[in-house]
Amino acid sequence: MASLSSAAAPVAPGWRHVYSGKVRDLFVPDDTIQDARPAALLVVASDRVSAFDHVLEPGIHGKGELLTELSRWWFHQLRTVPNHLVAVRDGLPPVPAELEARSMVVKSLEMFPVECVVRGYLSGSGWKEYQASQSVCGLALPAGLHDGDRLPQPIYTPAYKAPLGEHDENISFERTVELIGLSDATALRELSLEIYERAAAIAEARGVILADTKFEFGRDPETGAITLADEVLTSDSSRYWDAAAYDSGERTASFDKQIVRNWLAANWDQVGPPPTLPQEIVERTAARYAELLQRLTA
């Protein structure tokens, strides 16, 4: 596998590093035969932070642990949905103690090449598209909506997971059918909307709005079941807002890395390497990640 940032990967005795993405590192057991399906995968969340397709410096201290804890919590809340966590680790190498809090041992799945995006509110790129076409990803919406408005009902706007180094591409449901077939495309859409609505209700009860999120799924090669994978409902894969602030008119008081995006947008023209993040921006972002975890799980 190609690697984006293998030099930053931690050492995990008993596990072989095979890939580094912008923010996570992937390992297989040392005894995995080349090109064979591994018995399991070790996914390690780093403190790296990315925005506008760049990994930034410095990282957000503690981010890997915070997002891993949040993913685990959500997997538990959604435990009726098959997920990729490995419950029994017999026969697998131990996870080093220093990595345990930011790691997940997971099944090796046959991943679908689709990011399953669900939007419950009009924001971000969706708001920009709506202003131009009164639609989001080709789905027509009512006239007169404003930035941050709750949609009449959540919408499913899938994206094609592009090869490494390329941009993901928003696609239609019909294109999803062409990629993976009608049955699986329909199942992913229905499951994504169901999970979003369940998660949004859980968050709302805790004073948090789940504005939008993305899911990834794979097929369990042993059972054939469509299985929830990757991180789930973290502040890196979702847009969370403070409900009280939203009700008072501050519609984009988010619990994600929007602080980082806003600073970059104001201080970088996206030409050349990105600037170093100020410590104040790093600390504010870390505090928002931590606050979301506390608000949801307390």
Side-chain angles (χ1 to χ4, degrees):
M1 288 176 148
S3 176
L4 284 175
S5 50
S6 58
V11 176
W15 299 87
R16 184 173 77 247
H17 175 256
V18 293
Y19 172 78
S20 286
K22 291 186 181 73
V23 297
R24 281 172 295 175
D25 304 299
L26 185 65
F27 299 78
V28 298
D30 272 342
D31 60 3
T32 302
I33 300 172
Q34 186 72 26
D35 297 326
R37 182 175 295 279
L41 303 171
L42 175 65
V43 181
V44 181
S46 75
D47 289 347
R48 299 189 295 271
V49 61
S50 70
F52 304 117
D53 288 326
H54 286 266
V55 176
L56 309 173
E57 294 290 344
I60 308 298
H61 179 68
K63 170 177 173 281
E65 292 187 13
L66 289 168
L67 297 193
T68 300
E69 185 176 350
L70 189 55
S71 267
R72 289 173 175 164
W73 185 82
W74 275 117
F75 279 127
H76 181 71
Q77 305 308 305
L78 303 167
R79 53 191 176 277
T80 56
V81 178
N83 68 64
H84 68 163
L85 293 180
V86 172
V88 179
R89 300 183 184 180
D90 292 347
L92 295 174
V95 177
E98 63 271 20
L99 299 181
E100 183 68 46
R102 57 188 179 101
S103 300
M104 293 188 291
V105 178
V106 303
K107 300 175 185 176
S108 177
L109 304 175
E110 298 166 354
M111 297 299 293
F112 292 104
V114 176
E115 282 194 342
C116 300
V117 180
V118 181
R119 305 169 190 260
Y121 289 74
L122 189 59
S123 188
S125 62
W127 166 239
K128 292 179 181 178
E129 182 180 344
Y130 175 84
Q131 289 176 289
S133 64
Q134 201 177 302
S135 65
V136 174
C137 297
L139 298 177
L141 294 174
L145 296 178
H146 300 91
D147 189 12
D149 276 358
R150 187 171 188 162
L151 298 174
Q153 61 186 24
I155 58 175
Y156 176 70
T157 58
Y160 172 66
K161 290 194 292 188
L164 185 66
E166 299 181 19
H167 293 285
D168 291 344
E169 173 192 356
N170 291 336
I171 57 176
S172 65
F173 177 73
E174 290 71 24
R175 177 59 180 146
T176 308
V177 172
E178 293 174 1
L179 288 169
I180 63 176
L182 178 59
S183 177
D184 286 338
T186 301
L188 292 188
R189 179 175 63 183
E190 293 178 351
L191 192 53
S192 297
L193 289 166
E194 174 195 338
I195 295 172
Y196 171 83
E197 291 185 345
R198 288 172 58 184
I202 292 171
E204 186 175 355
R206 292 160 170 79
V208 176
I209 291 172
L210 176 60
D212 55 51
T213 192
K214 69 177 180 70
F215 304 112
E216 295 195 33
F217 296 92
R219 189 181 307 281
D220 188 323
E222 296 179 359
T223 67
I226 292 178
T227 302
L228 184 59
D230 203 66
E231 63 179 335
V232 61
L233 293 159
T234 70
S235 36
D236 266 12
S237 65
S238 313
R239 197 187 311 266
Y240 286 102
W241 296 334
D242 185 305
Y246 180 91
D247 290 341
S248 68
E250 189 181 353
R251 288 192 159 193
T252 56
S254 64
F255 290 102
D256 54 30
K257 58 186 176 184
Q258 193 62 45
I259 295 169
V260 170
R261 293 192 195 98
N262 291 347
W263 185 86
L264 281 177
N267 294 276
W268 181 46
D269 60 5
Q270 298 192 40
V271 176
T276 299
L277 297 175
Q279 190 60 32
E280 184 257 344
I281 295 297
V282 171
E283 291 174 358
R284 284 175 56 201
T285 304
R288 291 301 276 175
Y289 278 111
E291 183 181 351
L292 176 66
L293 179 66
Q294 193 277 332
R295 291 274 293 270
L296 288 175
T297 64

